[in-house]
Amino acid sequence: TLGSGSYTTALAVDSSQNATFAGNINMTNSGSGDETLTIKSTTAGDPTIAFNSAAANRNGIINFQDQGTTTGQIQYRHNGDIMKFITGGTGTNHEELTLNETAGGKFRTRLAVGGDNPGDRAVYVEGASSILELASTTSGQNASVWFRSNVSGTSADRWELGTNISQ
């Protein structure tokens, strides 16, 4: 017998065996070993995780924690269509990669392609055949590299290397 009092439905299962949970779902392995959540499609279809907020301009967030402290995140911000990859903590000082629908991608510090030690270089390319190509797909438009300096807060173009350059 359940006894007296009011009850709240925490789990509902419909006739198609779809489950709806009210509240949070916590999985805890009190022993040793990995805790695993598996989403499996046995016939056709793609296993999918959907983050759906009933309010406008909210964020979808996956937190990675170490002993209860967030040490990394993947965020999708609906206000601006921005995806952020955050490491080593939270906040703007840890946003390593930002992808924006209109502005493109931005790395916080350095980008290493084919190597793992860019040193003090903003972009480092390493490999048996290290080719960096800049291509313009529009006739009469530049494909060039600009060398600039910032002296006393004034940015000045110092040198340009490229093709189809017109001033």
Side-chain angles (χ1 to χ4, degrees):
T1 12
L2 294 174
S4 62
S6 60
Y7 298 96
T8 302
T9 302
L11 169 63
V13 180
D14 67 16
S15 61
S16 299
Q17 297 183 346
N18 295 316
T20 302
F21 293 86
N24 297 327
I25 300 171
N26 293 309
M27 295 174 35
T28 303
N29 181 352
S30 59
S32 61
D34 298 334
E35 189 66 18
T36 303
L37 171 65
T38 302
I39 300 172
K40 181 178 181 181
S41 176
T42 58
T43 57
D46 300 318
T48 303
I49 297 174
F51 294 80
N52 185 5
S53 175
N57 294 324
R58 301 303 301 167
N59 301 331
I61 300 172
I62 298 174
N63 283 325
F64 300 90
Q65 296 185 337
D66 188 5
Q67 299 179 2
T69 301
T70 299
T71 56
Q73 289 181 333
I74 299 173
Q75 296 181 359
Y76 185 82
R77 296 185 180 180
H78 294 279
N79 187 7
D81 294 323
I82 298 169
M83 180 165 279
K84 295 181 179 256
F85 294 84
I86 301 167
T87 61
T90 59
T92 56
N93 291 337
H94 300 282
E95 293 175 0
E96 301 303 332
L97 172 61
T98 301
L99 303 173
N100 182 295
E101 179 184 22
T102 54
K106 177 182 83 171
F107 286 89
R108 180 177 70 92
T109 56
R110 294 169 181 81
L111 171 62
V113 179
D116 58 3
N117 188 13
D120 62 351
R121 290 154 181 84
V123 178
Y124 175 76
V125 180
E126 178 184 313
S129 177
S130 296
I131 298 171
L132 179 62
E133 179 177 331
L134 304 174
S136 173
T137 58
T138 304
S139 177
Q141 295 298 312
N142 294 351
S144 57
V145 176
W146 286 81
F147 297 87
R148 294 185 178 195
S149 65
N150 188 340
V151 179
S152 301
T154 303
S155 178
D157 298 332
R158 301 296 180 206
W159 197 62
E160 181 181 12
L161 173 67
T163 62
N164 293 329
I165 300 170
S166 62
Q167 293 275 10

